[in-house]
């Protein structure tokens, strides 16, 4: 379970990007984060794996307080946080297998990674996962020979190779065509069930959020102003999130109590 309490992120002396944010996510739950650009969605994801350092607050993943970890502890914790990026973040000149195996860099001895001497178990696991997402036949192809959807599947497998306890996805469909976007969202939802993973997705496409996620969190100006099941995202809620009614500006919302029960 992921539990975020009173999270604040401030850059310099300006207004906080995240303002006393509270959020809990249970296993096997796919949560989408929506909101206008600048709402704090990407900053939230980056605070979780400390690509961005929180100013204050608590982030606990399965009993581990992430915000107080030293460098060595953070390296260990990041092995359990899978990340899927909008821009794929692949090494184009490397093969699909080599890109996938980079998900094991936090575990492998340095010499194995440099020499590309991957353990047989890691190779077997990689083939299993690549077969699962439909890219096993591309194992020996260079990453820059793949389509956008295929590249994103490589990114998903790379994250799963970490054996993560949570999967974070930052705009994973933004660079894809509509059909491929739906396939990737379906894949993320299915993998959450298969691996009992909480999945947190930063997404602009509200239609996909409603169709493929279990819960929608709406942010505006660094605050959560909506937290409910997808069917509750009606026109009024959309106006609050994207237009900013007075209630939204005050950060008022009524979360679905079932989520608190599920996360406890």
């Amino acid at each position: 379970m992921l539990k975020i309490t009173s999270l604040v992120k401030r850059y310099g002396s300006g207004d906080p990007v995240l303002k006393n944010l509270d959020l809990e996510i249970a296993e096997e739950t796919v949560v989408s984060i929506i909101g206008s650009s600048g709402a704090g969605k990407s900053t939230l994801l980056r605070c979780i794996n400390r690509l961005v350092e929180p100013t204050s607050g608590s982030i606990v993943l399965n009993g581990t307080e992430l915000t107080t970890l030293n460098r060595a502890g953070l390296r260990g914790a990041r092995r359990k946080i899978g990340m899927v990026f909008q821009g794929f973040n692949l090494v184009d000149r490397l093969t699909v297998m080599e890109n996938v195996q980079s998900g094991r860099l936090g575990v492998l001895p340095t010499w194995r990674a440099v020499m590309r001497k991957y353990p047989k178990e890691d190779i077997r696991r990689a083939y299993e996962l690549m077969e699962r997402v439909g890219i096993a036949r591309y194992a020996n192809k260079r990453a820059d020979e793949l389509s956008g959807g295929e590249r994103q599947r490589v990114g998903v497998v790379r994250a799963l190779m970490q054996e993560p306890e949570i999967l974070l996805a930052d705009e994973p469909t933004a660079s894809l065509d509509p059909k491929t976007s739906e396939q990737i969202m379906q894949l993320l939802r299915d993998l959450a069930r298969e691996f009992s993973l909480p999945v947190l997705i930063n997404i602009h496409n509200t239609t996909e959020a409603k169709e493929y996620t279990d819960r929608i969190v709406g942010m505006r100006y660094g605050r959560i102003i909506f937290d409910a099941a997808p069917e509750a995202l009606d026109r009024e809620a959309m106006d609050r999130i994207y237009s900013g009614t007075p209630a939204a500006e005050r950060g008022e919302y009524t979360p679905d109590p079932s989520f608190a029960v599920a996360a406890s």
Side-chain angles (χ1 to χ4, degrees):
M1 184 183 78
L2 176 72
K3 183 174 183 180
I4 299 173
T5 307
S6 301
L7 182 64
V8 174
K9 174 58 185 176
R10 183 192 304 272
Y11 294 99
S13 59
D15 290 337
V17 178
L18 300 178
K19 303 173 182 177
N20 292 310
L21 189 145
D22 297 327
L23 182 65
E24 293 189 17
I25 301 175
E27 290 183 355
E28 299 184 31
T29 303
V30 183
V31 179
S32 55
I33 309 174
I34 64 172
S36 301
S37 297
K41 305 185 300 299
S42 292
T43 298
L44 171 58
L45 262 62
R46 283 164 169 72
C47 280
I48 293 171
N49 59 16
R50 282 180 57 186
L51 291 177
V52 168
E53 288 293 335
T55 301
S56 62
S58 171
I59 304 173
V60 177
L61 177 62
N62 293 336
T64 299
E65 173 58 70
L66 302 179
T67 62
T68 58
L69 293 174
N70 59 22
R71 183 174 299 180
L74 182 58
R75 282 198 302 269
R78 281 179 174 159
R79 297 170 190 165
K80 298 299 183 180
I81 303 174
M83 188 80 181
V84 178
F85 299 90
Q86 174 184 341
F88 316 127
N89 280 28
L90 305 182
V91 181
D92 286 343
R93 62 182 176 80
L94 298 184
T95 66
V96 168
M97 175 61 79
E98 289 167 338
N99 272 283
V100 164
Q101 291 295 337
S102 68
R104 302 296 292 165
L105 290 179
V107 178
L108 289 179
T110 302
W111 73 268
R112 278 191 174 272
V114 171
M115 299 297 294
R116 299 174 190 169
K117 298 290 186 181
Y118 310 120
K120 291 181 179 179
E121 178 60 24
D122 286 353
I123 294 174
R124 182 194 63 79
R125 176 64 171 162
Y127 272 115
E128 286 180 353
L129 290 171
M130 287 191 290
E131 184 69 36
R132 168 63 186 84
V133 306
I135 59 170
R137 64 188 182 278
Y138 302 131
N140 295 317
K141 292 188 70 172
R142 281 174 50 128
D144 57 6
E145 298 177 40
L146 305 182
S147 69
E150 292 160 354
R151 288 164 66 84
Q152 193 58 286
R153 285 176 171 83
V154 176
V156 171
V157 173
R158 177 184 56 196
L160 292 176
M161 284 294 291
Q162 298 177 221
E163 299 180 345
E165 295 178 359
I166 189 171
L167 192 60
L168 309 178
D170 192 10
E171 292 289 345
T173 64
S175 303
L176 307 177
D177 63 77
K179 181 178 180 180
T180 305
S181 295
E182 293 175 359
Q183 292 171 347
I184 293 297
M185 290 296 292
Q186 179 71 57
L187 177 64
L188 291 173
R189 183 171 69 177
D190 292 345
L191 292 173
R193 306 292 190 269
E194 292 175 28
F195 294 96
S196 298
L197 274 176
V199 178
L200 188 57
I201 304 173
N202 169 13
I203 189 169
H204 277 293
N205 190 318
T206 56
T207 299
E208 291 178 357
K210 294 180 72 172
E211 179 69 21
Y212 296 104
T213 65
D214 306 309
R215 174 181 169 194
I216 296 177
V217 172
M219 293 183 63
R220 184 169 177 82
Y221 298 144
R223 294 189 177 95
I224 293 176
I225 63 170
F226 177 88
D227 186 351
E231 56 267 25
L233 187 68
D234 55 17
R235 174 51 54 189
E236 180 181 356
M238 292 279 287
D239 287 344
R240 292 176 59 213
I241 295 167
Y242 290 98
S243 299
T245 64
E249 296 296 341
R250 291 193 299 270
E252 297 175 4
Y253 75 100
T254 303
D256 187 329
S258 64
F259 296 132
V261 173
S264 62

